[in-house]
Amino acid sequence: MDIKRSHLLRQLPGVNELLQYFESQASSRHLPRKLMTQVIRDSLETQRRHLLAGALDRLPSDLNRSELLQYIHHRLVQAQRSRLCRVINATGVIIHTNLGRSPLPAVALERLLEVGGYYSNLEYDLDAGCRGSRHDHLEGLLRDLTGAAAALIVNNNAAAVMLALNTLAQGREVIVSRGQLVEIGGSFRMPEIMAMSGARLREVGTTNKTYLRDFEAALSPETAVLLKVHMSNYRILGFTHEVPLADLVALGHQHGLPVVEDLGSGCLIDLSRYGLEKEPTVTEALKTGVDLVLFSGDKLLGGPQAGLVLGDQAIVERLKRNPLTRALRPDKLTLAALEATLRLYLDEPRAVAAIPTLWILTRPLAEVKRQAQNLVRRLRSRLINGLQVGLCPSLARVGGGALPQLALPSQALSVAHPEWAAHHLEARLRQANPPVIARLEQDRLLLDVRTLLPEDQHLLVSVLENLLPAAKNHLS
Ligand SMILES: *Cc1c(COP(=O)(O)O)cnc(C)c1O
């Protein structure tokens, strides 16, 4: 090794020396020793690799000790933070699967604290004084809200699909239109879930057109279920034909076969009343006489991750008795948050105001614009770090496998800096506390205002205020 490199490596302080230093600092004194030691070891290792691999003419002649201390300090601050954390969604994608889909309504959070922080009657029947079922708590409410005869909650909608097919069609055939063999979010693929459930896929029709007669021709003694899958995250345009759910139900029942619809997002209110594209509601689907509808709790419903199974009493009972249900059951926190969210739907205006996903979706553009202007005004009077903010029209997306073609009019802040490229600012925002997830569009950095929650605003202002001076302090 060359002299310069070994000289620098020898200047690296030891773990114990650094440990002593950081244990004497007010900002890190309270950290668990184990965590501190680990961070210091990792940091030294990173430095060592950097010195070994760096181009010789780019290396300093002496180690910059204060820079090293600052770097370790920065990593210690990061190590104290939870890995799973709140972020500000400025992407304009409302139900963003990567960002946790639906933020919960405040009443649901209150229920989480109460049911989670104390004992509860999760599986205890308070009237009879004996063992009860966790599956009983929400059934009445779901019946009232949707008209369903029976209901079951599982871990998520993928679990609901798997459970329904396993219960009704293991070892037999499920007929589904070729145009509906969806993949959602990269990991939910209908053919794969079906294979895991033990059912055999029988595709009918073509990609763009499937008729009732295609289903009819595929019927055989092997047939167990007729399945319809909602085209959640795509549309087939041009010359198309889909079998209406009511026709499929009539055919199924004529042959004594259950009909199942995977609704995907599953909406309880008619969105067309708010000027949005019509999504079939859960109640409308059930009115066709379909035996089961399946949908997610955290998409348009706006609650916690869950899979809701609604429909025929006898069939739901069969699902409940399947041992697989034990493996897919929801925990008490899910049930608590879901119950609180569903209760809001007893009063639709209240639901739209209190469920963040619905509030964001139905906010008038004028209100989004007002908020954007306010933000720009506040930022322009406070930013001294060279950031330039402007306003521009934007289009928000619903995401989460709902209304794939709908572009919601929105407003965005455009953020720029004479010396920092947009992608660089975008990366800095991701590293902020809390992280801000922005959108890059043709080399412009945009912060969509529609998906900002009311409490995000002042945090966003402070993140932007502190973005660059802090950024220049870090090593690496
Ligand atoms: C989203 C979706 C699923 C998967 O639901 P999860 O709750 O994410 O498991 C299944 N089917 C359809 C049609 C969907 O849109």
Side-chain angles (χ1 to χ4, degrees):
M1 195 188 316
D2 51 86
I3 299 171
K4 186 174 177 185
R5 252 187 252 277
S6 49
H7 170 69
L8 281 165
L9 284 171
R10 254 182 283 113
Q11 287 187 323
L12 278 176
V15 175
N16 282 332
E17 184 190 340
L18 288 169
L19 200 53
Q20 256 174 29
Y21 171 80
F22 283 104
E23 274 177 342
S24 72
Q25 300 289 302
S27 61
S28 48
R29 179 179 299 153
H30 58 283
L31 283 178
R33 203 187 161 100
K34 196 167 168 181
L35 180 76
M36 221 187 305
T37 313
Q38 196 53 50
V39 169
I40 290 171
R41 282 225 172 88
D42 286 353
S43 305
L44 284 174
E45 188 48 39
T46 306
Q47 283 306 299
R48 207 168 282 127
R49 265 199 312 258
H50 177 69
L51 294 178
L52 284 170
L56 211 48
D57 53 344
R58 307 285 290 285
L59 291 177
S61 48
D62 280 300
L63 191 78
N64 186 334
R65 200 182 157 88
S66 79
E67 226 172 59
L68 176 66
L69 292 177
Q70 257 182 47
Y71 171 72
I72 297 175
H73 178 257
H74 169 69
R75 299 229 351 209
L76 282 170
V77 169
Q78 280 195 328
Q80 290 175 72
R81 286 197 205 138
S82 295
R83 288 266 324 188
L84 182 60
C85 66
R86 165 187 188 169
V87 306
I88 293 179
N89 177 7
T91 63
V93 179
I94 300 171
I95 304 169
H96 199 307
T97 296
N98 302 153
L99 304 185
R101 291 196 183 156
S102 290
L104 292 175
V107 285
L109 301 176
E110 287 165 19
R111 303 303 302 146
L112 288 180
L113 289 179
E114 184 170 327
V115 172
Y118 301 91
Y119 290 106
S120 69
N121 62 337
L122 179 65
E123 291 192 346
Y124 187 75
D125 184 331
L126 291 171
D127 291 328
C130 62
R131 187 196 185 107
S133 166
R134 73 178 64 214
H135 298 302
D136 289 347
H137 298 294
L138 271 62
E139 206 162 16
L141 184 56
L142 282 165
R143 209 182 290 134
D144 293 346
L145 286 171
T146 66
L152 171 66
I153 312 296
V154 289
N155 178 58
N156 57 13
N157 191 31
V161 174
M162 169 106 160
L163 177 65
L165 297 180
N166 178 266
T167 309
L168 301 174
Q170 191 174 25
R172 296 172 65 203
E173 282 183 2
V174 175
I175 309 182
V176 62
S177 161
R178 200 161 259 136
Q180 296 176 354
L181 294 171
V182 299
E183 170 178 309
I184 288 145
S187 58
F188 179 92
R189 298 180 118 193
M190 190 45 93
E192 288 169 9
I193 294 277
M194 205 173 297
M196 289 301 295
S197 77
R200 287 201 309 275
L201 171 64
R202 180 75 199 266
E203 298 171 46
V204 295
T206 59
T207 306
N208 59 331
K209 292 195 184 193
T210 302
Y211 300 94
L212 193 64
R213 60 171 186 270
D214 295 322
F215 278 86
E216 232 167 337
L219 290 173
S220 80
E222 284 299 293
T223 310
V225 167
L226 306 185
L227 177 67
K228 182 174 164 90
V229 183
H230 189 56
M231 291 193 206
S232 295
N233 53 0
Y234 67 110
R235 286 288 182 268
I236 295 175
L237 302 175
F239 295 96
T240 66
H241 186 80
E242 250 197 298
V243 181
L245 182 62
D247 294 358
L248 206 58
V249 170
L251 179 70
H253 292 179
Q254 201 184 320
H255 293 85
L257 292 169
V259 179
V260 177
E261 181 171 36
D262 174 7
L263 263 178
S265 214
C267 198
L268 294 186
I269 63 174
D270 182 356
L271 290 174
S272 64
R273 274 205 283 267
Y274 302 88
L276 298 164
E277 192 184 322
K278 170 103 190 159
E279 274 272 296
T281 68
V282 171
T283 306
E284 285 163 359
L286 287 166
K287 278 211 180 105
T288 63
V290 66
D291 296 277
L292 286 183
V293 295
L294 319 170
F295 57 98
S296 295
D298 55 355
K299 291 185 181 171
L300 280 176
L301 187 74
Q305 176 188 306
L308 287 82
V309 180
L310 305 186
D312 178 78
Q313 179 106 40
I315 293 183
V316 171
E317 280 309 317
R318 281 178 66 193
L319 263 62
K320 282 185 186 168
R321 284 197 302 271
N322 186 335
L324 198 53
T325 300
R326 177 62 179 75
L328 305 175
R329 74 182 187 184
D331 83 321
K332 60 188 176 185
L333 298 180
T334 300
L335 291 172
L338 187 58
E339 182 184 6
T341 308
L342 287 171
R343 270 182 195 286
L344 290 168
Y345 279 97
L346 293 169
D347 177 1
E348 187 176 313
R350 201 161 152 236
V352 172
I355 296 174
T357 299
L358 294 182
W359 176 77
I360 292 170
L361 195 62
T362 57
R363 271 172 96 194
L365 176 63
E367 203 185 295
V368 177
K369 276 187 172 165
R370 227 180 354 261
Q371 189 190 357
Q373 279 155 2
N374 265 333
L375 267 169
V376 166
R377 212 171 307 121
R378 268 173 77 187
L379 284 166
R380 286 204 176 130
S381 67
R382 293 169 72 159
L383 286 180
I384 47 162
N385 50 11
L387 278 182
Q388 297 154 353
V389 287
L391 276 177
C392 64
S394 163
L395 291 173
R397 296 269 164 193
V398 179
L403 307 166
Q405 286 192 296
L406 182 68
L408 277 174
S410 184
Q411 279 277 295
L413 306 186
S414 64
V415 179
H417 191 282
E419 287 151 42
W420 296 76
H423 71 269
H424 210 105
L425 294 174
E426 186 267 342
R428 289 289 166 194
L429 282 170
R430 270 190 278 121
Q431 301 303 320
N433 182 26
V436 176
I437 316 301
R439 198 165 78 215
L440 279 173
E441 226 173 70
Q442 290 152 2
D443 257 356
R444 278 198 317 167
L445 182 71
L446 299 182
L447 303 176
D448 199 301
V449 174
R450 184 174 282 276
T451 45
L452 296 182
L453 293 166
E455 312 79 41
D456 286 338
Q457 292 202 67
H458 68 279
L459 282 171
L460 179 64
V461 170
S462 101
V463 163
L464 288 171
E465 274 183 313
N466 296 308
L467 193 64
L468 295 181
K472 290 203 160 153
N473 282 340
H474 305 316
L475 224 110
S476 90

